C-alpha cells in the first residue's frame, strides 16, 4: 500500500496544465494567468496629478499670496498654466497644470477676496502623484497565484481589459451505488440519499473546476464501464465515488484496470484507504471511496491539489498550523489519520483542536462542523490528549466561546 506522500507525488506527476483562454477581467476572478508576468500598457498613473483637493502651485512661491487663475478637475486636461505668483484650483486626480510642482491642500490655505493665502511653505513635490510612479509603461509586473480583487485592479490600472488564463479543468462527478437516490427524493427500502454528488461537485467548483454531475451508476460492471468511458470523453478528469473497495459489487477499480490503466489503488490513510487512480482513454479517473467523509477527505487531500496543479497553482492552498489535541482519538497505526476537529484559540493564545464529533467515515455532521483536519502520523495508535499535531485549516480558526 502506498504512503500518503508517495500517492500524492504520483498523482501530481500526472497533472497536465490546461490550455489558455482569453477572458474579460470581469470573468477572471479566481483564475490563473498563463504567463504571470504582465507588461503595463500605460504608465500608472498615466499623468502627474494631485493627491488632494487643493491648489496646484510652485513651492518656491510659498508662503505667500497667489492669484487663482483656473481649475483642474479630474477627467479633463488642465487648461491654465501656473506662472510665478499664481495657482490653479485642483481636485484629487486632476492633472497637474504646466508650471506647477506642488499642491497645497484646501485645509492648509485661505481664500481672501479671490486671493489665495498660503501661510506656510509647501514642500517641493508635495501631494503630487507623478506619472508612472507605481508602474512604468512596459514594466514587467508579476501576478502569480489566482487572480484576486487587488490583482484584477492592478491589471485594469495597467491598461488590460482581457487576460489569458488557464481553462478551468473539465471534471465529471459520478456516484456509484444501487442504494442511491437523488437528494430530496423519497427513500425506498434500503435506499439512501446521494450526498457525495452534491458534496464533490461543490468541492470541485471551489477548487476551480468546470463541473458536470453525471447520472448515478448502478453496481454492474457493464454499466460502470460504459458510464466511465462516456464521462471521460472531452474531460480532463473523472471523479467517481463508491465501488472502489473489495465488495463483490465494487467494480470501479476493476473496470479502470481492465479497460484503461490503473496507476495505483489503496493509500495508507484514514479515512479513504481504497482510493483508486488510473486513466481511461487518456483521461484521468480518480475513484474515491463511497463513505461520505472518506470521499470528502480524499477529495481534499488528492483531487483539490490535482485540480490546482492543472491550472499551475502549487499545493492545496490551505494553511497548516500546529494545534493541541484536547482528547485522545484512537487510530490505525499503519495509516496516517486525518481527523475532523474544531480548531480554536484558547484564552492563553494557544490553538486547541477539539474533536468535531465521531470519527467514523460515515459520520457527515462532524465533517460539516469541523474547520480543520488533524494530521496524526503513521506509527502511532492515537492522537494523544495534550499533544500538538499539524492541522490543515479548511476554514478560519474559530473564536472560543467565552
Ligand atoms: P462503497 O465505497 O461503494 O462500498 O460505499 C461505502 C459506503 O458509502 C456505503 O455505506 C454506501 O452506501 C455509502 N455511499 C456510497 N456512495 C454514496 C453517496 N454517493 N452518497 C452517500 N453515501 C454513499
Ligand atoms: Mg457502493
Amino acid at each position: 500500500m502506498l504512503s500518503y506522500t508517495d500517492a500524492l507525488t504520483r498523482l501530481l506527476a500526472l497533472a497536465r496544465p490546461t490550455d489558455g483562454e482569453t477572458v474579460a477581467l470581469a470573468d477572471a476572478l479566481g483564475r490563473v494567468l498563463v504567463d504571470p508576468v504582465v507588461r503595463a500598457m500605460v504608465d500608472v498613473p498615466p499623468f502627474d496629478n494631485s493627491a488632494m483637493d487643493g491648489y496646484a502651485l510652485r513651492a518656491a512661491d510659498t508662503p505667500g499670496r497667489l492669484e487663482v487663475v483656473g481649475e483642474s478637475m479630474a477627467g479633463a486636461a488642465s487648461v491654465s498654466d501656473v506662472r510665478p505668483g499664481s495657482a490653479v484650483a485642483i481636485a484629487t486626480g486632476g492633472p497637474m497644470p504646466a508650471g506647477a510642482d506642488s499642491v497645497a491642500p484646501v485645509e492648509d490655505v485661505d481664500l481672501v477676496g479671490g486671493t489665495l493665502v498660503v501661510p506656510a511653505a509647501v514642500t517641493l513635490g508635495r501631494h503630487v502623484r507623478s506619472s508612472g510612479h507605481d508602474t512604468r509603461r512596459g514594466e514587467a509586473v508579476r501576478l502569480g497565484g489566482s487572480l484576486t480583487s487587488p490583482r484584477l485592479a492592478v491589471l485594469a490600472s495597467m491598461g488590460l481589459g482581457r487576460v489569458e488564463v488557464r481553462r478551468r479543468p473539465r471534471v465529471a462527478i459520478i456516484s456509484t451505488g444501487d442504494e442511491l437516490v437523488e437528494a430530496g427524493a423519497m427513500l425506498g427500502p434500503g435506499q439512501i440519499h446521494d450526498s457525495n454528488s452534491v458534496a464533490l461537485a461543490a468541492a470541485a467548483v471551489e477548487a476551480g473546476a468546470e463541473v458536470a454531475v453525471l447520472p448515478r451508476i448502478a453496481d454492474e460492471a457493464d454499466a460502470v464501464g460504459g458510464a466511465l468511458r462516456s464521462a471521460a470523453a472531452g474531460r480532463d478528469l473523472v471523479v467517481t465515488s463508491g465501488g472502489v473497495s473489495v465488495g463483490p459489487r465494487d467494480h470501479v477499480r476493476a473496470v479502470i484496470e481492465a479497460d484503461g490503466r490503473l496507476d495505483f489503488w489503496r493509500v495508507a490513510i484514514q479515512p479513504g484507504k481504497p482510493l483508486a487512480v488510473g486513466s481511461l482513454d487518456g483521461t484521468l479517473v480518480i475513484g474515491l471511496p463511497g463513505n461520505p467523509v472518506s470521499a470528502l477527505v480524499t477529495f481534499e487531500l488528492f483531487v483539490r491539489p490535482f485540480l490546482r496543479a492543472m491550472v499551475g497553482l502549487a499545493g492545496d492552498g490551505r494553511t497548516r498550523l500546529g494545534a493541541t489535541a484536547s482528547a485522545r482519538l484512537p487510530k490505525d497505526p499503519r495509516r496516517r489519520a486525518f481527523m475532523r476537529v474544531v480548531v480554536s484559540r484558547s484564552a492563553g493564545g494557544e490553538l486547541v483542536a477539539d474533536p468535531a464529533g465521531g470519527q467514523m467515515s460515515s459520520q457527515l455532521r462532524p465533517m460539516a462542523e469541523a474547520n480543520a483536519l488533524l494530521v496524526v502520523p503513521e506509527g502511532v495508535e492515537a492522537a494523544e490528549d495534550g499533544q500538538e499535531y499539524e492541522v490543515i485549516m479548511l476554514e478560519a480558526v474559530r473564536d472560543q466561546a467565552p
Side-chain angles (χ1 to χ4, degrees):
M1 199 173 352
L2 280 179
S3 71
Y4 162 68
T5 42
D6 287 350
L8 184 59
T9 305
R10 282 176 66 164
L11 174 65
L12 293 182
L14 300 170
R16 298 282 167 270
T18 60
D19 39 353
E21 61 180 356
T22 300
V23 301
L25 293 187
D27 299 319
L29 180 65
R31 309 295 294 274
V32 181
L33 294 171
V34 168
D35 181 355
V37 177
V38 181
R39 290 200 179 270
M41 312 290 285
V42 295
D43 282 337
V44 185
F47 51 89
D48 294 353
N49 68 95
S50 174
M52 299 291 277
D53 292 319
Y55 293 86
L57 41 69
R58 296 154 24 100
D61 290 346
T62 64
R65 302 166 77 85
L66 306 174
E67 184 196 354
V68 179
V69 296
E71 59 176 27
S72 173
M73 296 297 119
S78 174
V79 281
S80 322
D81 293 355
V82 168
R83 273 183 278 277
S86 71
V88 161
I90 194 164
T92 305
M96 287 297 285
D101 54 30
S102 313
V103 171
V106 162
E107 299 86 327
D108 295 353
V109 298
D110 284 310
L111 258 189
V112 183
T115 300
L116 183 70
V117 180
V118 185
V122 175
T123 312
L124 181 65
R126 191 86 182 107
H127 300 308
V128 176
R129 304 188 286 212
S130 56
S131 100
H133 84 88
D134 267 352
T135 308
R136 290 244 162 252
R137 180 174 169 204
E139 189 178 329
V141 175
R142 189 174 185 85
L143 293 166
S146 58
L147 290 173
T148 57
S149 40
R151 292 174 190 150
L152 291 169
V154 167
L155 290 166
S157 74
M158 295 197 312
L160 286 97
R162 298 169 70 76
V163 283
E164 194 190 9
V165 294
R166 293 259 167 237
R167 177 174 57 70
R168 293 186 186 285
R170 295 191 188 106
V171 177
I173 305 283
I174 320 181
S175 288
T176 72
D178 291 333
E179 73 279 30
L180 302 174
V181 300
E182 185 81 14
M186 289 279 285
L187 293 177
Q191 292 185 324
I192 61 167
H193 290 117
D194 174 8
S195 59
N196 286 351
S197 286
V198 175
L200 298 175
V205 168
E206 279 176 342
E210 182 187 301
V211 175
V213 177
L214 301 186
R216 285 174 292 281
I217 322 180
D219 290 318
E220 280 145 29
D222 290 350
V224 172
L228 288 192
R229 265 194 305 276
S230 77
R235 300 239 161 64
D236 300 302
L237 174 65
V238 177
V239 177
T240 65
S241 73
V244 285
S245 198
V246 289
R249 293 177 72 82
D250 289 340
H251 298 298
V252 173
R253 174 189 43 96
V255 163
I256 299 172
E257 202 160 21
D259 295 5
R261 184 192 73 213
L262 186 71
D263 287 289
F264 60 88
W265 175 54
R266 297 207 289 193
V267 183
I269 54 172
Q270 177 184 7
K273 181 174 76 171
L275 181 81
V277 169
S279 60
L280 272 183
D281 303 334
T283 296
L284 197 81
V285 182
I286 304 183
L288 305 181
N291 267 308
V293 174
S294 312
L296 271 170
V297 170
T298 49
F299 186 99
E300 175 67 30
L301 298 178
F302 294 96
V303 184
R304 184 179 161 88
F306 183 82
L307 290 173
R308 288 170 54 88
M310 289 192 73
V311 295
L313 292 173
D316 55 17
R318 302 297 196 193
T319 301
R320 282 166 171 72
L321 301 171
T324 304
S326 70
R328 184 172 201 272
L329 294 168
K331 64 178 275 290
D332 179 344
R334 291 165 299 182
R335 299 191 263 162
R336 188 176 300 193
F338 298 87
M339 289 160 168
R340 281 67 71 203
V341 295
V342 175
V343 173
S344 59
R345 197 171 289 283
S346 70
E350 172 196 42
L351 293 180
V352 176
D354 296 307
Q359 299 292 323
M360 284 166 63
S361 56
S362 55
Q363 289 179 291
L364 260 179
R365 281 173 56 195
M367 181 81 213
E369 175 65 16
N371 64 353
L373 297 173
L374 182 87
V375 185
V376 189
E378 301 84 346
V380 301
E381 283 179 356
E384 299 296 346
D385 187 355
Q387 191 163 320
E388 185 173 299
Y389 297 94
E390 179 183 82
V391 286
I392 303 171
M393 298 307 301
L394 308 174
E395 288 179 22
V397 171
R398 203 154 312 165
D399 290 327
Q400 218 167 41

